[in-house]
Amino acid sequence: MAVLTALVRPRAGWSPSWRLVSRNYLAHRRSKVFFLTGFLEPVFYLFSIGIGVGQLVDGFEVNGRTIEYAAFVAPAMLAASAMNGAVLDSTFSVFFKLKFEKLYDAVLATPLRPADVARGEITWALLRGGVYSAGFLLVMLAMGLVSSWWAVLVVPATLLVGFGFSAVCMALTTYMRSWQDFEFVQLSIMPMFLFSATFFPVTTYDGWLRWVVEATPLYRGVVLCRELTTGAVSVASLVSVLYLVVMGLVGLRVVSRRLGTLLLG
Amino acid sequence: MGTSGVPTAPGTSRAAMVARQADYWVTAYRRTWRGSVFTSFVTPLFYVVAMGVLLGRYIDPARADLQGAPSYLAYIAPGLVAAHVMQIATGEVTWPVLGKIKWDRTYLGMVATPLRISDIVAAHLLFVLFRVATTSAAFLVVLAFFDVFASPAGALGAFAATLLVGMAFATPLYGVSAGLKDQSAFAVIYRVMIVPLFLFSGAFFPISNLPAPLEAVAVVTPLWHGVDLTRMLTLGTLEPGPALVHLAYLGTLTALGWWWSVRRLSRRLVH
């Protein structure tokens, strides 16, 4: 029996989840237009708000140095689109697979375990997000919006944003009853996009409101990306890194357990 | 119009045929309105506060040429209403139209009655008009508290303008949806049409800030005409010449869209 288990069960760790990643790749191979246009959205926002509105704004101070408005908005668009992509992949798409397509029932009938499903879906979301981020970084470079070598770390930083959001949102998705519940997801994503110091500095707020903004995961992602592309990196940047890592690990733990109870329990 | 070739009781007016469908639309909306509250009313308010009020603090209206607006908030508010109305109208004639043809097949049931295709299109578009009107009215009432209107008459005029903007998007896109085989085109329509229009049609900044070739493109987009018309009304800077051009453009688009929608839906359902 032990021999049989060893033969059938893939190696522990991240490798079994790659099977789910390759399944997703095959399933999406044909929707090239969809992929391409997904990349365009943050670029459109950068050109519109960063450049168009940027001509009306003087620019903002980041760590004692004034930078033009487009350079202020661009890293925020990177973090926000990492969040948006992660949320879409881990909510609507996972819910559909879970409730309607019954994909995970099929997957768990193979040697893959719930944790592999969670890691596979998150890896898939991160791969897509990483490609978008790298492309966006090139756009920023071409437009002269990058002022530090630290910027090479901005792609891993967006992966961290994606990891935190997709793990937590996937965990939340396992609790959702119907499509109506996704209204609550929008209800928290939308204000974060607009108010997490994406379009103006956090000093716009004072008192408790500023504390609330600084405690949101998107704000952590935005400041982290902004610190990297402008070179304003400090020990304090580690707070954001730690925040997003913990968020992701907690989400991953919850979702692995929940998928187990929902589908195998 | 008789395009459908379906026999119709003689002497039935368009109004009577549309009124027959009222029950259907009222029932459907009573079951789904909750889901629309957030997208219709809360999202635009977030944009007003984030971009207009908070970002607006950093924009000096005297230095930045805002087409006569006294503040960035007053500049951006009419643009946001017009752009939002476009999104509401689009949402109501994309998935819902294809759904009534293909998934729940409501239209198939409707054409089996004495209703003509043009009656069905008219009732659906009237429902879109209702959605546009309620959304726009709620948005404008909220904006009144932010003190962005030059005069009450201007605010009413802006309301009428947004109805036209809504229809100028609803009728041609209805025609698009009526002929589609599957829904994948909608995501592309949103990403390459609706989102760029929202961002580049003068809602957030004067289109003269765009590079010259892009400005030329922006001038021919329907949303720019809608935004400019709405803005002239709320700011009290109405110029008859440009206003007539906007009205003619949006009106023509609505009329052509209506004609095309009836034609495409007839082909899809009858022939």
Side-chain angles (χ1 to χ4, degrees):
Chain A
M1 190 62 193
V3 178
L4 192 65
T5 318
L7 275 178
V8 173
R9 173 156 289 182
R11 273 193 304 125
W14 287 82
S15 71
S17 46
W18 275 103
R19 291 163 195 261
L20 192 69
V21 174
S22 66
R23 178 261 165 213
N24 282 347
Y25 170 73
L26 288 174
H28 286 84
R29 210 166 35 167
R30 287 197 192 161
S31 26
K32 289 198 186 68
V33 182
F34 199 74
F35 277 94
L36 192 74
T37 50
F39 166 73
L40 285 177
E41 194 158 324
V43 179
F44 284 150
Y45 269 89
L46 174 64
F47 276 91
S48 169
I49 312 290
I51 312 289
V53 178
Q55 294 174 46
L56 311 171
V57 187
D58 282 330
F60 290 120
E61 203 177 282
V62 173
N63 229 21
R65 199 161 56 88
T66 303
I67 56 171
E68 59 171 312
Y69 188 59
F72 180 84
V73 168
M77 290 300 101
L78 260 171
S81 77
M83 168 185 81
N84 276 330
V87 170
L88 276 181
D89 274 342
S90 60
T91 54
F92 289 98
S93 144
V94 165
F95 189 70
F96 183 72
K97 288 173 181 169
L98 188 66
K99 298 260 161 156
F100 298 96
E101 218 176 24
K102 310 274 182 209
L103 179 79
Y104 302 134
D105 292 82
V107 167
L108 293 177
T110 72
L112 267 73
R113 286 157 298 176
D116 300 323
V117 172
R119 287 188 292 231
E121 287 293 2
I122 290 168
T123 309
W124 167 247
L126 292 186
L127 281 174
R128 259 179 73 172
V131 172
Y132 286 171
S133 300
F136 192 89
L137 186 62
L138 290 179
V139 173
M140 282 179 69
L141 261 177
M143 292 170 63
L145 299 177
V146 176
S147 50
S148 161
W149 276 101
W150 282 105
V152 293
L153 289 181
V154 89
V155 175
T158 57
L159 292 182
L160 221 47
V161 174
F163 174 56
F165 274 97
S166 51
V168 166
C169 287
M170 204 169 150
L172 291 175
T173 300
T174 61
Y175 290 97
M176 296 204 181
R177 297 151 302 174
S178 74
W179 295 110
Q180 305 293 325
D181 288 341
F182 287 94
E183 197 88 337
F184 296 108
V185 175
Q186 283 307 106
L187 201 62
S188 41
I189 294 302
M190 192 72 203
M192 268 202 268
F193 173 62
L194 289 170
F195 296 104
S196 290
T198 28
F199 300 111
F200 40 80
V202 71
T203 48
T204 307
Y205 308 102
D206 28 52
W208 62 271
L209 204 54
R210 185 164 162 187
W211 281 96
V212 171
V213 172
E214 291 197 3
T216 62
L218 182 61
Y219 176 76
R220 306 294 0 154
V222 168
V223 282
L224 184 59
C225 289
R226 197 171 278 148
E227 284 162 351
L228 290 167
T229 58
T230 58
V233 181
S234 67
V235 186
S237 312
L238 288 174
V239 175
S240 305
V241 174
L242 201 68
Y243 182 113
L244 294 167
V245 170
V246 170
M247 179 179 169
L249 290 177
V250 169
L252 197 60
R253 180 127 181 94
V254 174
V255 73
S256 304
R257 207 180 282 168
R258 280 284 298 167
L259 283 177
T261 21
L262 277 180
L263 301 171
L264 300 176
Chain B
M1 218 172 259
T3 37
S4 69
V6 175
T8 311
T12 40
S13 67
R14 166 86 69 230
M17 296 308 270
V18 167
R20 288 186 180 194
Q21 299 168 73
D23 279 356
Y24 166 76
W25 285 103
V26 169
T27 311
Y29 191 58
R30 277 173 60 180
R31 290 178 186 166
T32 55
W33 67 273
R34 283 176 197 83
S36 68
V37 168
F38 178 68
T39 44
S40 294
F41 307 114
V42 184
T43 310
L45 191 62
F46 281 157
Y47 266 94
V48 169
V49 175
M51 306 302 287
V53 179
L54 297 174
L55 181 64
R57 286 189 200 168
Y58 301 98
I59 295 173
D60 176 7
R63 244 199 44 216
D65 174 29
L66 295 178
Q67 293 169 243
S71 66
Y72 186 61
L73 178 63
Y75 175 82
I76 200 176
L80 286 176
V81 184
H84 185 56
V85 158
M86 163 187 78
Q87 283 162 309
I88 292 293
T90 307
E92 293 293 344
V93 296
T94 43
W95 282 274
V97 169
L98 192 57
K100 287 175 205 309
I101 294 170
K102 199 177 151 176
W103 301 310
D104 58 45
R105 304 187 184 215
T106 309
Y107 284 161
L108 281 179
M110 288 175 168
V111 282
T113 70
L115 291 171
R116 293 159 296 194
I117 296 283
S118 56
D119 299 325
I120 295 170
V121 178
H124 193 135
L125 288 172
L126 268 180
F127 176 73
V128 180
L129 189 65
F130 163 77
R131 288 274 289 125
V132 163
T134 46
T135 311
S136 170
F139 200 163
L140 292 169
V141 166
V142 171
L143 283 176
F145 291 97
F146 289 86
D147 199 23
V148 296
F149 301 119
S151 71
L156 280 177
F159 174 69
T162 57
L163 298 187
L164 186 58
V165 173
M167 286 299 104
F169 278 92
T171 60
L173 284 173
Y174 189 110
V176 171
S177 304
L180 284 179
K181 289 273 173 284
D182 70 273
Q183 57 166 339
S184 59
F186 293 143
V188 179
I189 288 177
Y190 268 88
R191 284 169 166 183
V192 306
M193 195 184 112
I194 303 297
V195 170
L197 282 178
F198 173 60
L199 291 170
F200 297 101
S201 289
F204 293 102
F205 57 88
I207 54 167
S208 55
N209 283 8
L210 290 169
L214 281 179
E215 188 186 347
V217 175
V219 170
V220 296
T221 61
L223 186 58
W224 179 75
H225 289 272
V227 167
D228 201 46
L229 181 62
T230 314
R231 184 171 286 139
M232 286 196 292
L233 288 158
T234 60
L235 295 179
T237 55
L238 193 71
E239 296 168 58
L244 281 176
V245 172
H246 298 327
L247 283 174
Y249 184 112
L250 297 170
T252 309
L253 201 56
T254 305
L256 284 177
W258 158 261
W259 170 79
W260 195 52
S261 296
V262 173
R263 197 180 140 93
R264 291 256 285 184
L265 192 64
S266 304
R267 290 225 174 131
R268 182 73 179 263
L269 292 182
V270 183
H271 300 300

